[in-house]
Amino acid sequence: MNIGDPAKPYFLDVDTGSDLTWLQCDAPCQSCNKVPHPLYRPVQNKLVPCADSLCTALHSGLGRNNKCSSPKQCDYRIKYTDSASSQGVLIADNFSLPLSKSSNIRPSLTFGCGYDQQVGKNGAKPAPTDGLLGLGRGSVSLLSQLKQKGITKNVLGHCLSTNGGGFLFFGDGIVPTSGVTWVPMARSTSGNYYSPGSGTLYFDRRSLGLKPMEVVFDSGSTYTYFTAEPYQAVVSALKGSLSKSFKQVSDPDLLLCWKGQKAFKSVFDVKKDFKSLSLSFATGKNAVMEIPPENYLVVTKSGNVCLGILDAAAAKLSFSIIGDITMQDQMVIYDNEKAQLGWMRGPCSRSAKSAMSSSP
């Protein structure tokens, strides 16, 4: 995204699992990771004061240890589930946003200027992004701010391609009018997450005989996580269904991996050897999310195929997460206007513009 005056480019991690957008920031920086672009440089008169309603909302969402060190500024500290964290102050600056009608707007939006970042367990060094794009349900989320300013509806969608790339949109301009599976948004018991409610897991169209599990959609999570029982059930079902030509091996990248007669190049080499999973949501009408093998498997640098679903309990999570691996080649839509979540299979390698022209 292009931020500032004059606008400079920054790469942001698209995260529907948290609210605050932040950039690594030369305020000066106490602890910053090596990032793709020069650090954002804040200007004193762009500080958001402590009394600002977005500061109050952010603090109430983050809990007790967030308070202001002076009335002139809004301090924050956020910890993420992988124990990464960002500490900084709120700032308001212009975002240059392309509208679908090919003009640009430059609203002033509030975000975090992070001068102390700690990398989490899975953090890459150097970091591939300059900061994070918070698209959760809270009022400090960029989407809520755009809605507040009357710029777009409170709707967003993303389409991540299996080949890398994809697109992200705000507003309901390219939401397809048919073909989308919709479920009402549930109140997540674990926080203010986007949740389609409880889902029942099937393997190869057969029920695994498990209680439904609470599910959350989180684009900030690379992998998908299942709570303990469903995770163990999937592992057993997979092991029981694989042919003898797959041998279990250890791989530095993931926990459960197999090698074949020769190294695999992509998940499409093994698609026919693995069965599909699916999640059925009772709240929607025939609401099923198909999870074919390419939406839960990873082929590693070593040419092994690994399970891209991890154990939520080991990650200290009390709910299941549908992460990026399972969202690939599906348009996923978070509609806060109608309080519903939707998904629709399709290639995400096309641009948003071609998606627009094919939807009425």
Side-chain angles (χ1 to χ4, degrees), residues 23-80:
L23 281 177
Q24 296 213 114
C25 182
D26 191 3
C29 195
Q30 288 173 17
S31 166
C32 281
N33 311 311
K34 197 169 161 26
V35 288
H37 295 101
L39 296 182
Y40 172 82
R41 302 201 69 156
V43 184
Q44 193 70 38
N45 66 0
K46 301 209 163 160
L47 279 173
V48 170
C50 186
D52 190 280
S53 61
L54 286 180
C55 181
T56 316
L58 178 65
H59 284 176
S60 71
L62 289 175
R64 285 192 308 279
N65 14 355
N66 282 269
K67 40 189 179 293
C68 303
S69 57
S70 117
K72 288 198 183 76
Q73 67 187 53
C74 177
D75 304 87
Y76 70 85
R77 181 157 194 271
I78 295 185
K79 259 188 94 133
Y80 297 94

Side-chain angles (χ1 to χ4, degrees), residues 47-122:
L47 279 173
V48 170
C50 186
D52 190 280
S53 61
L54 286 180
C55 181
T56 316
L58 178 65
H59 284 176
S60 71
L62 289 175
R64 285 192 308 279
N65 14 355
N66 282 269
K67 40 189 179 293
C68 303
S69 57
S70 117
K72 288 198 183 76
Q73 67 187 53
C74 177
D75 304 87
Y76 70 85
R77 181 157 194 271
I78 295 185
K79 259 188 94 133
Y80 297 94
T81 38
D82 66 350
S83 62
S85 66
S86 174
Q87 181 170 346
V89 291
L90 283 194
I91 208 126
D93 208 340
N94 295 345
F95 278 63
S96 182
L97 301 171
L99 292 173
S100 54
K101 303 191 177 49
S102 75
S103 58
N104 259 25
I105 44 165
R106 305 199 55 226
S108 171
L109 301 171
T110 294
F111 62 99
C113 151
Y115 54 76
D116 183 354
Q117 272 65 235
Q118 301 303 325
V119 181
K121 291 195 281 286
N122 312 328

